[in-house]
Amino acid sequence: MTEVNDTGQQIVGTVKNPRDHAVTAPYSVDVFCVDSSGTLLNEFGGFADVSTDLAAGGTSPFTVSLYGSQCAQFLIGASGYDMTAAGN
C-alpha cells in the first residue's frame, strides 16, 4: 500500500507491486476492522482497479466499500498472483 484513506463509506488508496517483476491479476484487497485491543470486528474485501499484469513497481487505485459500517481502526492487505514462483 502506498496510500490509504477512510472516507467513512469506503477505504480507498493505492496498491504497489513491490516485486522486481510483474504480478498477475486479479489483485484482492482486504480490510480488517479492529477495536483498540486488536479484536476483529468486521472484514471487507474488494479488488484493485487494474485487471492486467502489474509491472514491477506499478500501482493501481482501489476502493473497498464498508457497506454503512464504521471502521475507525483497520489493517489492510493486498495480493495478486506471482507466476515466477510457479516456474512460469
Side-chain angles (χ1 to χ4, degrees):
M1 301 292 161
T2 61
E3 178 184 2
V4 176
N5 296 294
D6 181 351
T7 70
Q9 299 294 315
Q10 305 167 320
I11 304 294
V12 298
T14 305
V15 296
K16 180 178 181 180
N17 174 8
R19 304 210 182 269
D20 60 1
H21 54 271
V23 292
T24 303
Y27 310 104
S28 174
V29 179
D30 296 297
V31 175
F32 303 93
C33 303
V34 296
D35 65 16
S36 60
S37 68
T39 301
L40 181 64
L41 301 174
N42 223 329
E43 177 182 348
F44 301 97
F47 293 93
D49 293 353
V50 171
S51 60
T52 59
D53 285 358
L54 195 57
T59 62
S60 173
F62 69 87
T63 301
V64 176
S65 177
L66 298 177
Y67 300 101
S69 296
Q70 296 297 310
C71 193
Q73 297 180 87
F74 57 89
L75 302 169
I76 189 166
S79 64
Y81 293 95
D82 184 347
M83 300 308 286
T84 62
N88 295 327

